[in-house]
Amino acid sequence: MPRPRRAQPPTPAKRLNRHGRRGVRGPVTGPHLPLLQGRIDFFEMTVASCADYLKGLWPDALSEVRFEIASAPAGALGPEEVERWSVDAPRGRITLFRVPIERLAKLHRNDELHRRMLIESCVFRAVAEYLGKDPWDLAPDRFRHF
C-alpha cells in the first residue's frame, strides 16, 4: 500500500506591497549625494567661518582665543534674560550658546540667510566684548562699499 502524501505548504507567491511593487525599495540617498546638514552642523560651520574671518582681521589680538559652542548657559541672568555668549578674557575663551541664539531670536524671515546673519552677529558682538570695541569697528572696510 502506497504511503499517503503529506500535504505540502503552498509555495509562497511573490508578494506585492500595497503599491503593487515587488520587494524592498532601495535607499533614497545614494553614495554620490552629500550628507544632509543639520541645525547643529549649520551653527558650528557658521561660527567657525565667522571666527576665522575675524581672526584674519585681528591676528594679534585673537590668535590665542578659543571659540567654543555649548548648548545652553548654566543659568539665566534674570527672569527674562538668557545669555547668548560668554567671554572669559583671562583664559582666552569665547563660548557661544546655540539654543538661546537659535530659539530666542525673533527673525522676521526664518531662512538660512537670516539664521546665518543672526549667528554671525552674535559672534561679532562676543568678539567685540572680548576686545573692548564696538562690533562695527571690527570690520570697518567690509561695509564701505555703499
Side-chain angles (χ1 to χ4, degrees), residues 27-48:
V28 175
T29 60
H32 305 293
L33 295 176
L35 296 174
L36 297 176
Q37 182 181 7
R39 206 174 53 242
I40 296 171
D41 299 327
F42 177 77
F43 187 89
E44 289 176 355
M45 287 182 1
T46 304
V47 169

Side-chain angles (χ1 to χ4, degrees), residues 9 30 63 70 72 87 115 134:
S63 63
V87 174
R115 285 190 299 271
D134 186 62

Side-chain angles (χ1 to χ4, degrees), residues 58 61 124-140:
W58 298 86
F124 265 75
R125 289 186 281 166
V127 169
E129 183 179 325
Y130 178 83
L131 296 175
K133 297 187 176 293
D134 186 62
W136 291 98
D137 293 337
L138 295 180

Side-chain angles (χ1 to χ4, degrees), residues 45-128:
M45 287 182 1
T46 304
V47 169
S49 64
C50 189
D52 287 342
Y53 174 74
L54 289 171
K55 282 185 174 187
L57 292 176
W58 298 86
D60 297 333
L62 298 177
S63 63
E64 300 297 321
V65 175
R66 284 189 342 213
F67 288 85
E68 298 177 353
I69 298 171
S71 297
L77 293 175
E80 296 182 15
E81 188 175 344
V82 178
E83 263 185 318
R84 307 295 200 276
W85 62 83
S86 171
V87 174
D88 188 359
R91 291 186 179 155
R93 183 173 25 194
I94 296 174
T95 307
L96 292 129
F97 301 116
R98 183 183 59 80
V99 174
I101 291 172
E102 289 179 340
R103 304 294 174 146
L104 300 177
K106 294 176 176 68
L107 298 174
H108 68 281
R109 183 173 293 161
N110 193 5
D111 61 357
E112 183 177 332
L113 174 66
H114 288 85
R115 285 190 299 271
R116 182 181 306 274
M117 288 172 35
L118 169 72
I119 297 166
E120 288 177 351
S121 72
C122 289
V123 174
F124 265 75
R125 289 186 281 166
V127 169

